[in-house]
């Protein structure tokens, strides 16, 4: 099943620029089942369209945590 997951970057480490957005997109695109990723450093929002059979919100949050971002559901 295809679903859209929306997260907000919170905490001390946030996205500051287009390079940060690209790092988020590149990291998440490596997850199995990831269809599309949008990241916006001005709003600190990450939107991912995923195949929920192959990946889930926890895996996305874990991956973002691995690259230094704390997240919460929107």
């Amino acid at each position: 099943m295809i679903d859209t997951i929306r997260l907000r970057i919170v905490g001390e480490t946030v996205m500051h620029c287009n390079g940060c957005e690209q790092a988020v997109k590149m990291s998440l695109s490596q997850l199995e089942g990831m269809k599309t990723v949008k990241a916006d450093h001005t709003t600190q929002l990450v939107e991912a369209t995923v195949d929920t059979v192959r990946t889930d919100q926890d895996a996305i949050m874990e991956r973002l945590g691995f690259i230094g971002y704390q997240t919460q559901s929107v």
Side-chain angles (χ1 to χ4, degrees):
M1 179 169 147
I2 304 299
D3 196 10
T4 301
I5 296 171
R6 291 175 183 85
L7 301 170
R8 180 178 308 278
I9 305 291
V10 296
E12 291 184 31
T13 303
V14 296
M15 296 183 289
H16 290 81
C17 62
N18 291 335
C20 296
E21 292 174 3
Q22 292 302 316
V24 166
K25 291 177 187 178
M26 189 161 102
S27 181
L28 292 183
S29 69
Q30 295 173 6
L31 286 174
E32 189 174 335
M34 189 64 58
K35 301 296 182 188
T36 63
V37 179
K38 296 177 187 174
D40 186 336
H41 73 278
T42 59
T43 62
Q44 298 303 309
L45 294 176
V46 176
E47 182 176 285
T49 304
V50 300
D51 178 347
T52 56
V53 172
R54 299 170 72 192
T55 196
D56 60 13
Q57 180 171 309
D58 289 340
I60 294 169
M61 293 175 83
E62 183 178 327
R63 178 63 60 100
L64 289 171
F66 180 75
I67 63 170
Y69 296 112
Q70 181 181 354
T71 58
Q72 68 182 24
S73 298
V74 175

